[in-house]
Amino acid sequence: MSDDILNKLVNDGVVSKDQVQEAQHLASSLGIRTEEALIKLGYVDPNEISNLQASKFGFETVNLNGYEIPPSVVEMVPESVARENVVIPLGLDGDALTVAINDPMKFEVLDKLRFILNREIKVKVASNESILSAINRHYGQSETESVDSMISEFTETAIDITQTELKQAETVAGDDESAPIVRLVNLIISEAVSMRASDIHIEPFESRVRIRYRIDGVLVERDSPPRRLLAALVSRLKIMANMDIAEKRRCQDGRIKTRANGKEFDLRVSILPSVHGQAVVMRILDRDSIKIGIRNLGFSEENYRKFQNIIRRPNGIFLVTGPTGSGKTTTLYSALGELNRPDRKVITAEDPVEYLLPGINQVEVKSAIGLNFASIIRAMLRQAPNVILVGEIRDSETADMAIQASLTGHLVFSTLHTNDAPGSVTRLIDMGVQPFLVASSVMAVMAQRLARVACPKCREPVTPDQGELEAFSISPEQAAAATFMRGRGCNYCQHTGYRGRVAVFELMTMNSKLREMTFNREPAQNIRRQARLMGMKSLAEDATAKALKGITTLLEVARLQKAVD
């Protein structure tokens, strides 16, 4: 983005200089433009950026909401080209084709369209989100290619999938994009990505197959395909993930690399044989999600300073704890990204390796051949690393090796499954690690959860009643200075009132008193009490602080408290 557009945003009071600097820092870490970072952070409306760019370069803007494009025009640009380049045709002006694009300075995209279509291209400007929405709307209409329409087609026509489609899905010819089952699988993945899902669940039951997406941590059910489609669906996914199609009795794991909505995604596929057939869960791994940067994780100023001090220590163990899907991997990868410099050697042991990090040596656990966490750590130490990431401490052997690594001058990051931060200390001792080793090696423990963020498009101020304030221990002074928000529900958030999530933290830094209590094997509740006396904010308190700022809602804080208690 040019400086004059940035200056205009600042001068008009749309953003502050601090917000611009934060966006520039995020943009450099993600490898994106500053305006994209401003939009990602929620500081600027996408349409406002489009209008500024259009006026600067002398282009016309277009509002695509409700904009109807004739099917004959839509067909002029293949869907794959439209999605890959985030561009949509609008109409013909003589022999020239008018298209909507987010950045009119993307000359390589316009040159590609001129070459493919052999036509002159005219440009109008629209936001990325409105273009993608128009692509989903118009290409779905022109080719009846949406998950709902395809499933209804299968249901109404009663196509015999068991022979023709199953054979097609189980051969290399199943890669033919025109095959209905191939199109259905591709559309399910594209729809899940468009809806910002983190997981796709395909679950067989006696008379139907249920498809659900996990969006912002909550499962949302989609239309159910007919039961007869299950074998073909699973076979197609196995082909994509390089699994054994013939094996239907054992669990299998695989990985799919795919492109959706113009971005590369990795899907981690797990297949579990159930009573009614094979159940499939696909975890969608977005490579951009781990480049979020420490500053944007959701730390309070106090916790941010503590976290920065912890990850810059020369040795010791830093544990991040929480249930599956609480953002532990993202937090640790963000820390590694900060420490990944040419003068440091970083090695990780993961099961499995979820994201590939440039400049970091990553090792995948393969228990079948004896390559477990403990053996990898043992070999790591001979590689002279500065920083070690152990994916998870599951047993006493792994814990002992991680502690030995920290005591010999290495900075060790790892995760543990406990409910809160103080519980991690007693969990290590319960595993069989000597208390004096835990006390001398662990420098800090951080528990975390994810709370849903109030939708920035439809959120509105709300005044909680006195009972709610008392339930969350909010004083009248805090309530008077607070900005409580809630989402009304709109298309942007799929009428949930929430869009996106923010991390909630409980950071316990070890000191002499806590080390003494650990050495004496004191129970977790005593350690917790002492940590609170020394200033540790609980998960519930951190979540409430975010609700006071209007980032999340009191309803979400209550949901989080139930999960923690």
Side-chain angles (χ1 to χ4, degrees):
M1 181 187 285
S2 58
D3 289 341
D4 51 346
I5 292 180
L6 278 176
N7 291 336
K8 181 164 177 54
L9 286 171
V10 174
N11 294 336
D12 291 350
V14 178
V15 293
S16 67
K17 289 183 178 178
D18 288 342
Q19 288 172 330
V20 170
Q21 286 177 350
E22 185 182 350
Q24 286 171 334
H25 179 72
L26 177 62
S28 63
S29 66
L30 292 182
I32 60 177
R33 294 173 300 164
T34 308
E35 67 268 32
E36 292 175 5
L38 283 168
I39 293 167
K40 190 181 276 284
L41 290 167
Y43 295 149
V44 180
D45 186 88
N47 293 321
E48 194 158 8
I49 295 290
S50 299
N51 292 338
L52 283 171
Q53 284 185 322
S55 61
K56 174 178 170 55
F57 297 113
F59 290 97
E60 186 185 337
T61 58
V62 59
N63 182 4
L64 294 177
N65 290 337
Y67 194 105
E68 288 304 320
I69 306 167
S72 58
V73 174
V74 172
E75 289 167 3
M76 295 180 74
V77 178
E79 182 178 359
S80 57
V81 174
R83 289 191 183 280
E84 183 178 348
N85 300 288
V86 195
V87 61
I88 189 165
L90 299 176
L92 284 170
D93 184 1
D95 286 334
L97 180 66
T98 303
V99 299
I101 191 169
N102 172 246
D103 183 359
M105 295 294 103
K106 284 185 176 177
F107 298 118
E108 71 281 0
V109 172
L110 301 177
D111 288 342
K112 186 195 293 186
L113 287 173
R114 288 188 187 99
F115 178 76
I116 293 172
L117 305 176
N118 195 24
R119 284 180 180 274
E120 182 55 37
I121 300 296
K122 292 186 176 181
V123 173
K124 289 187 179 182
V125 179
S127 68
N128 250 13
E129 290 181 345
S130 64
I131 294 172
L132 285 172
S133 175
I135 289 171
N136 291 336
R137 195 168 69 247
H138 286 90
Y139 283 94
Q141 285 175 357
S142 63
E143 300 179 25
T144 63
E145 290 225 331
S146 68
V147 175
D148 295 347
S149 61
M150 281 208 71
I151 288 175
S152 64
E153 181 185 337
F154 279 123
T155 306
E156 290 164 11
T157 57
I159 297 171
D160 183 10
I161 202 87
T162 53
Q163 297 302 320
T164 54
E165 285 299 329
L166 189 51
K167 286 176 183 175
Q168 208 168 17
E170 293 186 355
T171 62
V172 179
D175 287 332
D176 176 12
E177 294 296 322
S178 65
I181 200 67
V182 174
R183 293 198 338 257
L184 177 60
V185 169
N186 291 345
L187 284 167
I188 288 171
I189 294 171
S190 294
E191 183 183 69
V193 167
S194 300
M195 295 176 73
R196 302 173 299 102
S198 59
D199 303 89
I200 303 170
H201 295 249
I202 301 174
E203 303 158 313
F205 295 98
E206 188 173 2
S207 58
R208 68 181 184 121
V209 177
R210 181 168 69 180
I211 296 178
R212 294 192 291 177
Y213 303 150
R214 190 178 292 279
I215 302 169
D216 291 335
V218 178
L219 282 168
V220 176
E221 187 165 347
R222 303 297 296 154
D223 275 2
S224 298
R227 181 72 173 75
R228 65 181 186 279
L229 283 185
L230 178 65
L233 268 174
V234 174
S235 294
R236 174 60 188 159
L237 291 168
K238 283 183 176 181
I239 285 284
M240 295 173 75
N242 295 316
M243 293 179 180
D244 182 359
I245 295 177
E247 181 56 71
K248 295 178 172 64
R249 299 168 301 164
R250 291 191 177 95
C251 304
Q252 291 191 68
D253 293 306
R255 206 178 184 101
I256 295 173
K257 287 186 182 295
T258 188
R259 188 174 183 84
N261 297 348
K263 283 176 66 178
E264 296 285 345
F265 289 90
D266 290 336
L267 274 66
R268 201 174 76 206
V269 186
S270 170
I271 294 186
L272 178 73
S274 69
V275 174
H276 297 294
Q278 297 172 88
V280 183
V281 175
M282 291 179 279
R283 167 68 60 89
I284 301 171
L285 305 173
D286 181 358
R287 297 171 191 177
D288 288 345
S289 67
I290 57 157
K291 300 176 185 173
I292 189 170
I294 292 175
R295 183 41 114 173
N296 303 300
L297 288 173
F299 284 115
S300 64
E301 283 301 319
E302 182 186 358
N303 280 343
Y304 177 73
R305 285 195 302 273
K306 286 181 182 177
F307 188 80
Q308 287 285 0
N309 289 333
I310 290 162
I311 66 172
R312 279 167 173 73
R313 292 189 187 177
N315 62 298
I317 291 184
F318 175 52
L319 293 171
V320 180
T321 181
T324 302
S326 60
K328 301 188 296 295
T329 301
T330 300
T331 298
L332 288 177
Y333 276 7
S334 298
L336 290 186
E338 189 106 344
L339 298 174
N340 185 19
R341 299 288 181 268
D343 61 335
R344 291 192 186 96
K345 177 153 184 170
V346 183
I347 307 181
T348 74
E350 302 170 65
D351 183 19
V353 172
E354 291 191 356
Y355 302 94
L356 300 178
L357 303 171
I360 291 177
N361 302 275
Q362 293 173 270
V363 184
E364 186 159 308
V365 169
K366 293 186 175 70
S367 301
I369 59 170
L371 193 65
N372 55 26
F373 280 117
S375 62
I376 292 171
I377 299 169
R378 200 173 288 114
M380 273 182 185
L381 299 181
R382 293 192 284 272
Q383 297 275 320
N386 301 102
V387 182
I388 292 172
L389 167 66
V390 180
E392 185 185 340
I393 293 178
R394 297 175 181 168
D395 51 48
S396 59
E397 188 182 10
T398 305
D400 281 329
M401 288 305 306
I403 285 171
Q404 291 304 322
S406 72
L407 294 175
T408 52
H410 303 88
L411 180 60
V412 180
F413 295 146
S414 190
T415 68
L416 204 62
H417 287 289
T418 59
N419 212 31
D420 59 5
S424 299
V425 173
T426 52
R427 173 64 60 84
L428 287 173
I429 295 171
D430 290 342
M431 279 184 183
V433 181
Q434 292 296 325
F436 73 90
L437 288 174
V438 177
S440 57
S441 61
V442 175
M443 56 180 178
V445 183
M446 186 168 76
Q448 74 175 70
R449 299 290 190 278
L450 293 175
R452 290 183 293 173
V453 174
C455 175
K457 297 278 188 185
C458 65
R459 67 180 181 180
E460 59 186 11
V462 63
T463 304
D465 59 39
Q466 190 59 38
E468 285 181 286
L469 296 176
E470 289 173 3
F472 295 104
S473 304
I474 298 170
S475 67
E477 294 78 16
Q478 286 177 311
T483 310
F484 294 106
M485 291 285 186
R486 73 169 175 204
R488 259 192 338 271
C490 63
N491 290 333
Y492 188 63
C493 60
Q494 277 103 42
H495 299 279
T496 61
Y498 300 97
R499 185 179 171 98
R501 289 187 288 177
V502 66
V504 174
F505 300 103
E506 178 179 273
L507 181 55
M508 182 182 81
T509 51
M510 298 292 281
N511 54 31
S512 55
K513 180 64 179 174
L514 293 177
R515 292 186 197 282
E516 183 185 342
M517 295 177 78
T518 302
F519 183 78
N520 293 330
R521 293 178 182 259
E522 294 209 24
Q525 58 265 34
N526 292 0
I527 295 174
R528 180 176 188 79
R529 195 178 303 116
Q530 183 63 38
R532 293 292 303 279
L533 288 173
M534 293 178 170
M536 181 187 81
K537 296 284 191 298
S538 69
L539 286 163
E541 286 172 332
D542 194 34
T544 304
K546 288 178 169 66
L548 290 170
K549 292 178 181 177
I551 297 169
T552 186
T553 66
L554 287 177
L555 195 63
E556 191 67 2
V557 175
R559 188 179 71 88
L560 195 80
Q561 281 181 333
K562 286 179 185 174
V564 173
D565 292 341

